[in-house]
Amino acid sequence: MTSIGGAEMVDWNLAVATATRLVRPGPEVSREEARDVVAELRRHAKASEEHVRAFTRMIPEGHEPRDTPVLVVDRAGWVKANVAGFRELLSPLLDKMQERRSNTAGGTVLGAVGGKVTGVELGMLLSFLASRILGQYETFAPAGRDLPAGDNGGGRLLLVAPNIVHVERELGVDPHDFRLWVCLHEETHRTQFTAVPWLRDHLQGEIQSFLGATEVDPSTVVERLREAVQALTGSRPEGEEGEPSPSLVEIVQTPEQREILGRLTAVMSLLEGHADYVMDGVGPQVVPSVAEIREKFQQRRARGASRLDLALRKLLGLDAKLRQYRDGERFVRAVVDEVGMDGFNRVWTSPNTLPTKSEIAAPADWVARVHRKADS
């Protein structure tokens, strides 16, 4: 599907092998402590389902509460899970790039680089990300023997145990409270997709439309990938500072894609902001030290990062991800304050009631469009 003459655009197996070889193992814990952490995260994931559903009033129709499908993984496990998801989601883009590789002069550059080199570079980036993700609801996870599917077409909840332990130690917070706090955020994402049946297909359709509209030379993508690896390894030649490179997302935008990206940015801001709002809303009832955790966690974000981290965040689009948490949470809070939780939940009625990018920044406009027009 993504190869011509046996040459893959990306050697996915090599990407996994490279990432798992390079990723740091995480904080030192005894075997007994590791078992306890895994068991506690599973318990918290299960308990979070009830807490989130009660707070959000989002309950899948005809579904009774049940065991939450959750995988507690190490960093290498996160890499394997995400490579499978990336491979499935990126197929349209890779197919298109492969076609251009065989028919254009730009393809010569990519042919010289080869799928194996691209796989190594992707693996290096995944090793960087694998030490920073606390948890994730994998919306588009393919079913597999090693990684069983959750509900709603393959979604599953991942909790990265070594990263959670690392951050709770770094912040000096109560580990039991912090683990539950993280689970509340990720369970909110699972609830969003299981309680809103159309959401997964809508999001997947937007992403596939975005990828399908890509009109970029394959060599450009490879060059951006190489720049990310150079930033990661510190191998950029002296004096090559210049203007910041555009992110991997920014380089593949046609006019049609800019419209799609605006809608995607809005919905991702909504989902992330809603999860932050819920984790803090539920927190005071079940996480005694939630105020301390939130304050220290925000300080950790505000302290910023090294020059290397900042360069990679820009290149990978992670700086936009941080803005999504902040802007989305403000939107949710403002709407709930104005029309209550049931009024906010009208956002899940259909794709037409999702906020636009401009409405995320102006919640009153969404209220006026969805509520006042509907109620007049």
Side-chain angles (χ1 to χ4, degrees):
M1 176 172 18
T2 56
S3 64
I4 292 179
E8 271 199 304
M9 290 285 297
V10 179
D11 188 327
W12 297 100
N13 291 332
L14 186 56
V16 171
T18 301
T20 53
R21 185 176 69 251
L22 295 178
V23 72
R24 296 175 181 175
E28 289 188 13
V29 296
S30 68
R31 184 170 298 180
E32 181 180 0
E33 184 181 3
R35 283 197 300 263
D36 290 344
V37 170
V38 170
E40 183 172 24
L41 286 172
R42 290 186 183 280
R43 290 196 304 271
H44 284 331
K46 188 175 190 300
S48 294
E49 182 176 353
E50 294 280 2
H51 296 315
V52 169
R53 289 185 177 187
F55 183 81
T56 63
R57 303 173 195 170
M58 296 174 66
I59 302 175
E61 186 175 350
H63 286 66
E64 293 297 326
R66 55 177 176 72
D67 289 342
T68 300
V70 58
L71 295 171
V72 182
V73 298
D74 59 10
R75 291 170 175 174
W78 180 87
V79 168
K80 292 174 184 177
N82 277 270
V83 163
F86 290 160
R87 187 172 189 171
E88 181 168 294
L89 199 60
L90 293 176
S91 288
L93 176 61
L94 293 179
D95 288 345
K96 191 166 190 174
M97 289 174 63
Q98 189 76 293
E99 184 180 352
R100 293 192 64 155
R101 168 181 169 177
S102 62
N103 296 327
T104 68
T108 305
V109 179
L110 187 56
V113 174
K116 289 191 178 300
V117 174
T118 309
V120 169
E121 293 175 335
L122 178 60
M124 294 178 75
L125 287 177
L126 287 170
S127 72
F128 169 82
L129 295 172
S131 63
R132 285 156 173 79
I133 305 297
L134 299 183
Q136 171 186 358
Y137 180 70
E138 260 201 306
T139 313
F140 308 113
R145 190 172 50 188
D146 299 330
L147 297 168
D151 40 5
N152 205 16
R156 60 193 175 208
L157 190 64
L158 301 180
L159 298 169
V160 190
N163 295 349
I164 293 172
V165 171
H166 171 77
V167 174
E168 69 193 24
R169 289 179 178 178
E170 179 186 347
L171 297 181
V173 294
D174 182 282
H176 310 294
D177 284 2
F178 184 74
R179 293 166 196 173
L180 177 54
W181 190 69
V182 171
C183 286
L184 289 169
H185 182 101
E186 303 310 330
E187 173 57 30
T188 301
H189 286 318
R190 195 185 77 87
T191 298
Q192 290 163 347
F193 284 94
T194 56
V196 185
W198 54 264
L199 184 58
R200 179 183 184 275
D201 288 344
H202 171 72
L203 190 59
Q204 185 175 34
E206 292 280 58
I207 292 172
Q208 295 299 350
S209 295
F210 180 86
L211 295 177
T214 298
E215 296 292 348
V216 65
D217 191 288
S219 61
T220 305
V221 175
V222 172
E223 181 58 30
R224 291 294 176 264
L225 190 60
R226 180 166 292 109
E227 288 177 8
V229 173
Q230 288 175 345
L232 180 61
T233 60
S235 60
R236 182 186 294 274
E238 277 302 318
E240 286 195 9
E241 299 274 340
E243 292 297 317
S245 299
S247 74
L248 290 171
V249 171
E250 290 170 332
I251 65 168
V252 290
Q253 286 191 49
T254 63
E256 179 186 355
Q257 282 181 304
R258 280 192 287 274
E259 292 185 16
I260 299 171
L261 188 62
R263 297 194 298 268
L264 278 170
T265 298
V267 72
M268 295 309 297
S269 296
L270 171 69
L271 298 178
E272 295 295 356
H274 184 234
D276 262 12
Y277 178 81
V278 172
M279 74 196 294
D280 288 343
V282 174
Q285 306 166 38
V286 298
V287 182
S289 59
V290 64
E292 178 192 2
I293 290 173
R294 169 54 75 186
E295 181 181 2
K296 289 185 175 180
F297 199 76
Q298 294 287 50
Q299 288 174 352
R300 181 176 182 266
R301 282 180 180 171
R303 278 197 302 269
S306 66
R307 194 173 182 180
L308 168 63
D309 253 5
L310 292 174
L312 276 168
R313 285 180 183 179
K314 167 62 179 173
L315 193 57
L316 299 174
L318 299 182
D319 49 350
K321 173 85 167 175
L322 293 176
R323 288 195 299 273
Q324 287 171 2
Y325 286 100
R326 181 191 64 222
D327 298 344
E329 196 275 341
R330 288 175 181 167
F331 171 84
V332 176
R333 184 173 300 279
V335 172
V336 173
D337 286 348
E338 177 71 18
V339 296
M341 184 62 74
D342 290 335
F344 166 78
N345 281 341
R346 288 195 189 182
V347 78
W348 312 116
T349 303
S350 75
N352 292 331
T353 56
L354 292 172
T356 63
K357 188 176 179 181
S358 64
E359 287 171 341
I360 287 288
D365 291 349
W366 180 87
V367 172
R369 176 171 69 86
V370 173
H371 278 267
R372 296 189 183 128
K373 287 184 180 178
D375 296 340
S376 61

